[in-house]
Amino acid sequence: MDDTLLFYTHPSSRGRLTRWMLEETGLPYEEVILGFDGAMKTPEYLAINPMGKVPAVRHGEVVITEGAAICAYLADLVPDLRLAPVPGSKARGSYYRWLLFLAGPVEAMLTAKQAGTLAPAMSAGYGTEADILRTLELALADKAHLAGDDFTAVDLYASGVLGYFMRVGALEPRPAFVAFAQRHAARPAALRAAARDAELATRYPPAGA
């Protein structure tokens, strides 16, 4: 690969999950740490992500935002590592299904729950909390992987989402959720990523600090 991967992040952001994915790929990357002091709203960064948020990854002239999209893009850069199932396979269908379910209904519902602004089930794509939890539990019960027999980006994304929302108390720590998140959070790449963000957190305060 000729183009450098530039990784825009903050240690107290969803960029933690993107760093884990970058570490899984083994690809070289350069990190750009943006503080919550206005650095994400500068004209220079808004030209990269007009939302003024992290994470974002720049790969040559390509800019990718949104955690699930970044994970999927990075997985496709290293096909030999099988971080995404083979296109056209049954596992690839499950990969897309659960990646988008997590990035859409699950995150939307849990974020709304944290804010105390859950929409009526008929109006929201996420339905009810009971719908979400039942679907997640059925998907994860007694399973090591969500798509096929190998670890893929959807397992990483699921572990990150589950782990975060359980830590902040927005998601009930059901045994299936805890077991799945803990299994994958113990991967060497996850531990490397967590150690780097823990180091950076000592120098870059979270929002509102």
Side-chain angles (χ1 to χ4, degrees), residues 38-103:
M40 298 180 199
K41 306 297 184 182
T42 63
E44 291 78 14
Y45 186 63
L46 290 175
I48 294 167
N49 185 0
M51 288 291 289
K53 296 166 44 180
V54 293
V57 168
R58 184 166 186 170
H59 183 209
E61 296 303 312
V62 177
V63 173
I64 314 97
T65 64
E66 315 315 315
I70 294 171
C71 286
Y73 181 84
L74 292 174
D76 287 344
L77 292 182
V78 287
D80 291 347
L81 297 185
R82 301 174 69 180
L83 291 170
V86 175
S89 66
K90 291 181 180 179
R92 187 77 168 204
S94 295
Y95 172 79
Y96 286 134
R97 176 190 180 183
W98 296 116
L99 188 61
L100 296 181
F101 178 68
L102 288 155

Side-chain angles (χ1 to χ4, degrees), residues 53-174:
K53 296 166 44 180
V54 293
V57 168
R58 184 166 186 170
H59 183 209
E61 296 303 312
V62 177
V63 173
I64 314 97
T65 64
E66 315 315 315
I70 294 171
C71 286
Y73 181 84
L74 292 174
D76 287 344
L77 292 182
V78 287
D80 291 347
L81 297 185
R82 301 174 69 180
L83 291 170
V86 175
S89 66
K90 291 181 180 179
R92 187 77 168 204
S94 295
Y95 172 79
Y96 286 134
R97 176 190 180 183
W98 296 116
L99 188 61
L100 296 181
F101 178 68
L102 288 155
V106 173
E107 285 209 59
M109 187 280 290
L110 292 172
T111 302
K113 180 183 176 182
Q114 276 188 296
T117 57
L118 280 170
M122 292 295 291
S123 303
Y126 48 72
T128 68
E129 182 175 5
D131 294 335
I132 290 285
L133 297 183
R134 181 179 63 255
T135 303
L136 271 178
E137 193 164 31
L138 288 171
L140 297 174
D142 301 318
K143 289 183 182 175
H145 306 293
L146 276 167
D149 298 323
D150 299 306
F151 175 83
T152 66
V154 72
D155 297 320
L156 181 154
Y157 197 83
S159 299
V161 169
L162 293 169
Y164 171 74
F165 283 107
M166 285 191 291
R167 281 195 303 276
V168 300
L171 178 63
E172 179 185 335
R174 296 186 180 185

